[in-house]
Amino acid sequence: MNRERADGQLAQIAETVGLARRLGTRVRLRGGWAMDFFLGGLTRDHEDIDWFVPAADAPALAAGLHELGYRRLDGPPPGQQFDVVKDGSESSFALVDPRPDGRVLVAGGPWAGTAWPDGLLDGPVGRLGGVECPIVGPELQIEIKRMMPVWDPRRPRRAKDAEDIARLRAALA
């Protein structure tokens, strides 16, 4: 495991959470880092840092990240996700549309209006290395990792996702 890279990414997670708090923005960590925050320890190297953020909060968050030295990357449709990089580490922010009835929808792109699983933004606060961060709950992490290749057939099943599912299931047992 590349400890220097992991420490840098962990510092960026703490920086993003702090910025979001100052802005009154709700961010929620997802993907492999959310799993590690749930488990309370590093399990593997991470290519990037994945987040959910309400679309209405995205412009302020993106501007704040820019002020902290993050550079915007080209990528998915702007209404669906924005990606940034700092010190060689990428963070991806999937935009969601929380509805008054509690549903959370995909905010933009080809799946705009599609509902995410119930409870997406209701997960616990995870902890890792002295950093606290709101995370997608482990049950939903399993569902998302299991279903993503079905929801988006262009995204193949990955060995690391199967390993993450097994880790999460073992921790929940």
Side-chain angles (χ1 to χ4, degrees), residues 5-26:
R5 180 173 172 79
D7 287 345
Q9 289 175 324
L10 185 58
Q12 288 184 10
I13 290 168
E15 186 173 57
T16 300
V17 169
L19 173 63
R21 280 192 192 119
R22 288 191 301 280
L23 295 173
T25 299
R26 295 180 301 154

Side-chain angles (χ1 to χ4, degrees), residues 12-137:
Q12 288 184 10
I13 290 168
E15 186 173 57
T16 300
V17 169
L19 173 63
R21 280 192 192 119
R22 288 191 301 280
L23 295 173
T25 299
R26 295 180 301 154
V27 293
R28 189 140 316 255
L29 194 59
R30 61 188 174 96
W33 272 108
M35 175 190 66
D36 284 359
F37 267 76
F38 172 72
L39 297 174
L42 288 171
T43 60
R44 61 174 172 83
D45 284 318
H46 299 283
E47 295 171 22
D48 58 6
I49 305 164
D50 297 310
W51 302 88
F52 284 118
V53 63
D57 297 338
L61 183 65
L65 289 167
H66 178 74
E67 289 176 13
L68 292 172
Y70 291 80
R71 182 176 50 83
R72 190 99 181 231
L73 297 172
D74 292 331
Q80 176 181 329
Q81 179 173 307
F82 75 90
D83 298 341
V84 295
V85 64
K86 181 179 179 180
D87 300 330
S89 290
E90 291 184 24
S91 291
S92 297
F93 294 84
L95 308 184
V96 295
D97 180 14
R99 308 307 297 211
D101 64 4
R103 292 179 306 136
V104 178
L105 308 178
V106 174
W111 297 279
T114 303
W116 281 101
D118 290 340
L120 184 76
L121 301 179
D122 300 330
V125 171
R127 290 168 185 77
L128 180 62
V131 178
E132 292 187 350
C133 181
I135 63 172
V136 170

